């Protein structure tokens, strides 16, 4: 279970950030994180994955507190940022091996999972090329491979569909569903509301750093479509 | 420890792909041969530059000893222009990764802040020392060829203590990188601090006992064949440990 309690993070010289956010996700949950630009989605995600320190609150994955045991916490998560930040002078293969070694993956285990991911993401021919030669979409695919190969218990994706072609998008959507059915927790920010409506069972809508909707997708959709709710919430800014 | 080795290897791979090993080693080789050549052929150089009118060359001036030439190479070349170029070569080691988002991405992996910092310190120290060693050994060969013999083992001891000074200089840059985003500002501040420590350390040996530049004083005493006070190693080690600890604390907060 992912438990976020009263998470607050503000930036110096700015009133933007996130205030008092609480969230509880269980095994198998797929939660969409929605909000206008600057609503605090990326700040929240970066706090949950341990890039940003937060001012107040607590983040726990199962029994592991992010602040108390960050290494163990991070060994259980997989994260895809909104902009892929990679070592440009490495080949895709070298990058994957680097990440795998940080997760202490065995060679056999890595080979098996890698074969599947490279095939499904049509990355087999590009994996030996330098990262600097990749397009944004290719970099995004490489990040997804590095994200999924160690079977994380918590998958966090920041606007994962940006730059992906329809095949890669289909793969990711199916993979999210399949990983969730196997017990993973998935939290992702998006502006693609149609997909969120179809695959998510939880929804958080952020507005000015506050969670204005934090409910199951089923309950939310009883009131109106996701599009209408989003417009309604963001029109009050 | 394992992660330090893995991330350190990344530093080395980056240095190989950026041909940093090549250009930095060539640079230190040029610096290394400059001093012995100048000391040996000063009169020829002056003649070729337009004669020696107005310049008095003492024909009875004693030929410098090999260790004096080596000392001039390090204090005059490596510790001035060499240090500046060296700092430029690693001043962006953390800032560039922080600004590009790579550092954030590494911090979402099971890697501790200390492992990341130590990998940067030792990765860049190793790269620097390989390049400095290449230049130094070429300089040593030129010096013993053009002047007289100097025991290689003493020269290696000198390099060993000198490497402690380089480790300290890199630790300053690592510490500054945790709270400064501009690579240029990190570079300039590191150079200024290193120069201040060098100047202060040169005042007397007692003061050097409390300064990181004690490593440099100890290294130079090896070359001068004077009494070596090994207590001079303590202060640089303490400063390096303090820098690493401070960097770990600061990087966690930012």
């Amino acid at each position: 279970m992912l438990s976020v309690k009263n998470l607050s993070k503000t930036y110096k010289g700015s009133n933007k950030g996130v205030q008092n956010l609480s969230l509880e996700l269980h095994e198998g949950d797929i939660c969409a994180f929605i909000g206008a630009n600057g609503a605090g989605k990326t700040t929240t995600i970066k706090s949950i994955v341990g890039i940003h320190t937060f001012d107040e609150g607590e983040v726990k994955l199962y029994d592991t507190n992010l602040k108390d045991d960050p290494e163990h916490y991070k060994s259980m998560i997989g994260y895809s940022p909104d902009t892929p930040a990679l070592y440009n002078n490495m080949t895709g293969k070298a990058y994957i091996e680097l990440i795998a070694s940080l997760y202490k993956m065995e060679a056999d285990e890595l080979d098996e999972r890698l074969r599947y991911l490279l095939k499904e993401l049509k990355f087999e021919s590009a994996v030996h090329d330098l990262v600097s030669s990749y397009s944004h979409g290719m970099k995004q695919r490489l990040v997804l491979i590095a994200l999924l190969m160690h079977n994380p218990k918590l998958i966090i994706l920041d606007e994962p569909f940006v730059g992906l072609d329809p095949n890669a998008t289909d793969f990711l959507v199916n993979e999210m569903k399949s990983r969730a059915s196997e017990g993973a927790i998935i939290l992702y920010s998006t502006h693609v509301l149609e997909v969120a409506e179809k695959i998510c069972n939880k929804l958080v809508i952020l507005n000015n750093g506050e969670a204005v909707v934090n409910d199951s997708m089923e309950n939310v959709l009883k009131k109106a479509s996701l599009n209408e709710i989003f417009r309604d919430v963001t029109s009050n800014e | 420890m394992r992660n330090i080795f893995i991330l350190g290897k990344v530093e080395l791979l980056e240095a190989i792909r950026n041909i940093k090993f090549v250009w930095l080693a060539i640079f230190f080789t040029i610096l290394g041969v400059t001093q012995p050549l100048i000391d040996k052929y000063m009169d020829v150089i002056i003649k070729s530059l337009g004669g020696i009118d107005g310049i008095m060359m003492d024909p009875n001036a004693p030929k410098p000893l090999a260790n004096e030439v080596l000392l001039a190479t390090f204090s005059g070349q490596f510790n001035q222009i060499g240090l500046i170029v060296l700092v430029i070569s690693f001043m962006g080691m953390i800032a560039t990764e922080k600004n590009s988002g790579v550092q954030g991405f590494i911090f979402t992996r099971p890697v501790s802040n200390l492992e990341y910092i130590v990998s940067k310190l030792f990765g860049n120290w190793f790269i620097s020392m390989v390049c400095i060693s290449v230049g130094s050994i070429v300089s040593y060969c030129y010096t013993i060829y053009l002047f007289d013999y100097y025991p290689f083992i003493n020269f290696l001891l000198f390099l060993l203590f000198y490497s402690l000074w380089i480790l300290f200089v890199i630790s300053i840059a690592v510490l500054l990188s945790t709270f400064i985003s501009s690579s240029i500002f990190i570079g300039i501040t590191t150079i200024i601090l290193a120069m201040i420590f060098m100047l202060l350390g040169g005042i007397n040996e007692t003061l050097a006992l409390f300064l990181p530049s004690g490593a440099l004083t100890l290294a130079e005493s090896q070359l001068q064949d004077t009494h070596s006070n090994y207590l001079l190693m303590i202060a640089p080690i303490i400063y390096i440990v303090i820098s690493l600890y401070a960097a770990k604390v600061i990087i966690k907060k930012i």
Side-chain angles (χ1 to χ4, degrees):
Chain A
M1 184 182 80
L2 171 72
S3 160
V4 179
K5 281 185 191 158
N6 306 319
L7 180 82
S8 293
K9 161 83 185 171
T10 46
Y11 296 102
K12 277 179 194 165
S14 163
N15 55 4
K16 285 191 173 177
V18 60
Q19 287 108 42
N20 216 22
L21 180 99
S22 292
L23 178 69
E24 206 165 90
L25 297 176
H26 297 91
E27 289 179 11
D29 280 347
I30 305 181
C31 177
F33 217 49
I34 290 168
N37 296 328
K41 301 187 295 294
T42 298
T43 302
T44 307
I45 283 177
K46 284 187 172 176
S47 299
I48 294 174
V49 297
I51 294 178
H52 285 337
T53 53
F54 39 91
D55 310 327
E56 283 171 42
E58 183 189 69
V59 177
K60 272 173 87 175
L61 182 60
Y62 298 99
D63 293 330
T64 309
N65 191 312
L66 170 59
K67 280 193 174 168
D68 296 341
D69 191 357
E71 278 81 68
H72 184 234
Y73 175 94
K74 289 171 187 178
S75 70
M76 295 188 283
I77 69 167
Y79 164 64
S80 163
D82 52 351
T83 312
L86 304 161
Y87 290 104
N88 283 328
N89 287 325
M90 274 186 185
T91 62
K93 183 99 179 15
Y95 179 75
I96 289 167
E97 284 168 353
L98 163 70
I99 301 300
S101 58
L102 291 176
Y103 286 105
K104 302 180 177 69
M105 289 180 74
E106 298 294 332
D108 295 351
E109 187 189 13
L110 173 66
D111 280 352
E112 191 187 322
R113 291 187 197 162
L114 204 53
R115 217 175 297 128
Y116 164 74
L117 290 167
L118 291 175
K119 185 170 174 264
E120 292 298 319
L121 279 163
K122 296 183 175 50
F123 208 79
E124 288 147 314
S125 58
V127 76
H128 297 289
D129 296 342
L130 281 178
V131 170
S132 56
S133 68
Y134 292 167
S135 65
H136 179 84
M138 297 288 278
K139 286 181 181 172
Q140 197 76 347
R141 286 183 202 203
L142 180 60
V143 168
L144 287 177
I145 293 168
L147 154 89
L148 295 168
M149 66 187 180
H150 66 287
N151 274 350
K153 291 180 177 170
L154 170 65
I155 297 172
I156 301 186
L157 309 123
D158 197 354
E159 302 196 18
F161 302 116
V162 175
L164 287 185
D165 64 30
N167 289 334
T169 303
D170 285 348
F171 165 79
L172 182 57
V173 168
N174 291 332
E175 198 65 23
M176 285 163 79
K177 285 198 261 186
S178 132
R179 299 272 171 153
S181 69
E182 288 164 11
I185 301 164
I186 299 171
L187 171 68
Y188 81 103
S189 74
T190 187
H191 292 296
V192 189
L193 304 184
E194 302 75 34
V195 175
E197 212 171 296
K198 279 181 199 159
I199 66 168
C200 298
N201 64 333
K202 291 270 175 74
L203 175 73
V204 174
I205 302 183
L206 280 186
N207 194 33
N208 291 328
E210 287 180 32
V212 288
V213 174
N214 190 348
D215 205 345
S216 74
M217 186 66 86
E218 198 182 353
N219 285 345
V220 173
L221 292 179
K222 278 179 190 164
K223 296 167 199 162
S225 76
L226 203 49
N227 234 316
E228 286 165 335
I229 291 169
F230 179 77
R231 282 179 209 286
D232 184 41
V233 167
T234 51
S235 65
N236 295 335
E237 270 186 60
Chain B
M1 193 68 187
R2 191 173 176 271
N3 285 347
I4 293 171
F5 181 74
I6 293 167
L7 294 176
K9 212 167 83 179
V10 173
E11 287 296 307
L12 301 190
L13 280 174
E14 288 280 299
I16 291 168
R17 295 219 166 92
N18 290 334
I19 59 163
K20 186 170 165 182
F21 269 117
V22 177
W23 71 257
L24 203 53
I26 291 173
F27 171 76
F28 276 104
T29 303
I30 293 168
L31 277 191
V33 300
T34 305
Q35 193 68 41
L37 287 178
I38 289 174
D39 283 354
K40 180 75 179 176
Y41 300 111
M42 181 55 94
D43 50 344
V44 181
I45 295 167
I46 290 171
K47 264 184 204 165
S48 67
L49 288 174
I52 54 169
D53 290 345
I55 298 172
M56 294 290 290
M57 296 288 291
D58 181 2
N60 299 317
K63 191 178 160 188
L65 298 170
N67 61 342
E68 289 170 349
V69 178
L70 286 169
L71 190 62
T73 301
F74 279 88
S75 58
Q77 308 286 346
F78 282 39
N79 277 344
Q80 290 173 20
I81 183 82
L83 186 76
I84 292 168
V85 173
L86 190 69
V87 171
I88 290 170
S89 79
F90 61 66
M91 66 187 183
M93 61 182 157
I94 290 179
T96 311
E97 287 192 357
K98 191 158 64 178
N99 298 336
S100 70
V102 169
Q103 188 196 71
F105 202 38
I106 289 293
F107 283 162
T108 64
R109 312 289 169 183
V111 173
S112 72
N113 298 338
L114 188 62
E115 285 171 335
Y116 176 76
I117 289 164
V118 173
S119 73
K120 289 285 168 194
L121 175 69
F122 283 101
N124 283 280
W125 173 77
F126 182 79
I127 296 163
S128 303
M129 281 318 298
V130 166
C131 298
I132 288 173
S133 299
V134 169
S136 304
I137 289 167
V138 173
S139 178
Y140 172 82
C141 294
Y142 258 78
T143 304
I144 60 166
Y145 176 71
L146 295 173
F147 296 89
D148 56 349
Y149 179 71
Y150 183 75
F152 188 63
I153 193 78
N154 288 13
F155 180 69
L156 283 183
L157 265 178
F158 161 80
L159 264 186
L160 183 72
F161 297 126
Y162 188 74
S163 73
L164 187 60
W165 164 245
I166 296 299
L167 190 64
F168 166 72
V169 175
I170 300 170
S171 77
I172 305 177
V174 168
L175 174 59
L176 294 172
S177 300
T178 57
F179 58 93
I180 299 173
S181 299
S182 159
S183 298
I184 293 171
F185 192 58
I186 291 164
I188 292 171
T189 313
T190 305
I191 291 163
I192 291 171
L193 285 172
M195 297 282 181
I196 290 171
F197 282 126
M198 273 197 284
L199 284 173
L200 290 175
I203 294 173
N204 68 48
E205 199 182 298
T206 311
L207 184 59
L209 276 170
F210 301 95
L211 295 170
S213 47
L216 205 54
T217 311
L218 178 60
E220 286 172 357
S221 73
Q222 285 291 321
L223 272 187
Q224 288 163 326
D225 290 331
T226 54
H227 162 73
S228 297
N229 183 355
Y230 294 102
L231 291 175
L232 286 161
M233 283 170 68
I234 296 172
I237 292 170
I238 291 172
Y239 277 85
I240 291 165
V241 172
I242 291 172
S243 292
L244 283 180
Y245 184 73
K248 176 186 175 270
V249 170
I250 296 168
I251 209 166
K252 201 174 174 184
K253 287 188 174 170
I254 292 176

